[in-house]
Amino acid sequence: MANPVLTALTGRHREFADLRGRAGRYQPDVTPFAGLPLDPTAADWADLAALSGPGGSAVLAGPRREAPAGWETGMDLPGVQMTGDALEVAPDPEAVRLGPADVPEMLDLVARTKPGPFLPRTIQLGTYLGIRRDGALVAMAGERMRVPGGTEISAVCTDPAARGQGLAARLVRAVGAVIRGRGERPFLHAAATNVTAIRLYEHLGFTVSRELEFIGYRAPAVSPAG
């Protein structure tokens, strides 16, 4: 999937999208990802600027697209997209479905483990599963972008004190079981530098399908005359 964000925004995640012309972005409290065509024109960038607001931020995923003058580039992270055709899925008896009441704990776990963007309404994008120990959330994983025939596994993270127990692998298989149960294909994204995570995913049955870039942009600010 060469352009997963825009594909999701204009399809299965339309309810979470703000769209203008050929540009789109997730609503700000859902996730910071935005989408542009693979061959964006000046008008497409202008539409994204209008969606982002003056000085607003947007994260693109896919092949590099050079922004026009006035845009600033922040995060620039090489990544990989991986497909889980060989993933052996299995429900996990210890995994519980997480809901709105769990969001504060989920946000705290994300802040401590930094698996990638997770905002107050990210949980609405799909099923999120967690494992608790002594009542505390120590690991989680869930669904994010949904494209035709596939769903992304995201927010895979484990509290540092609970690592080494295979919790992340178990949750990836459990979320994969939810996805396969709908007759879909699991896929995920990882930073190219996160070799530990990539090795884990390869061990679970994922293979790298393409390289891509995660680039954070800041839209032009309004000029004094504007």
Side-chain angles (χ1 to χ4, degrees):
M1 180 60 61
N3 200 357
V5 182
L6 192 60
T7 301
L9 287 169
T10 55
R12 299 176 66 194
H13 274 170
R14 178 64 185 83
E15 64 182 296
F16 302 105
D18 293 328
L19 301 173
R20 181 181 173 115
R22 300 199 303 166
R25 63 171 297 132
Y26 279 95
Q27 293 158 3
D29 55 352
V30 175
T31 184
F33 283 102
L36 283 174
L38 298 180
D39 56 347
T41 65
D44 296 328
W45 283 101
D47 285 337
L48 182 58
L51 290 171
S52 302
S57 61
V59 178
L60 298 183
R64 178 174 292 274
R65 284 154 284 191
E66 297 298 334
W71 286 80
E72 297 179 5
T73 302
M75 176 187 72
D76 191 341
L77 180 66
V80 294
Q81 184 179 97
M82 307 182 75
T83 52
D85 293 337
L87 174 66
E88 294 185 5
V89 303
D92 191 284
E94 196 178 1
V96 296
R97 180 156 184 169
L98 302 173
D102 301 301
V103 168
E105 275 191 285
M106 298 169 77
L107 291 170
D108 178 68
L109 182 60
V110 165
R112 289 185 282 112
T113 58
K114 304 189 185 315
F118 186 91
L119 299 176
R121 289 180 57 216
T122 304
I123 193 172
Q124 296 179 18
L125 297 179
T127 298
Y128 279 80
L129 301 177
I131 292 177
R132 294 184 175 278
R133 294 287 165 80
D134 297 323
L137 183 67
V138 297
M140 73 175 194
E143 300 175 316
R144 190 169 59 186
M145 298 176 206
R146 294 190 177 190
V147 300
T151 295
E152 177 196 26
I153 298 177
S154 180
V156 181
C157 55
T158 304
D159 185 283
R163 289 177 183 165
Q165 303 175 32
L167 302 185
R170 287 166 52 187
L171 287 171
V172 168
R173 290 192 178 101
V175 175
V178 174
I179 295 169
R180 287 266 183 82
R182 297 193 299 263
E184 296 175 8
R185 181 189 205 188
F187 70 98
L188 54 78
H189 295 102
T193 55
N194 194 348
V195 293
T196 300
I198 292 173
R199 285 199 196 104
L200 168 65
Y201 297 139
E202 288 177 334
H203 177 73
L204 292 175
F206 286 85
T207 57
V208 174
S209 56
R210 71 178 71 247
E211 297 178 350
L212 72 168
E213 304 276 340
F214 299 101
I215 303 179
Y217 293 98
R218 187 168 298 279
V222 173
S223 66

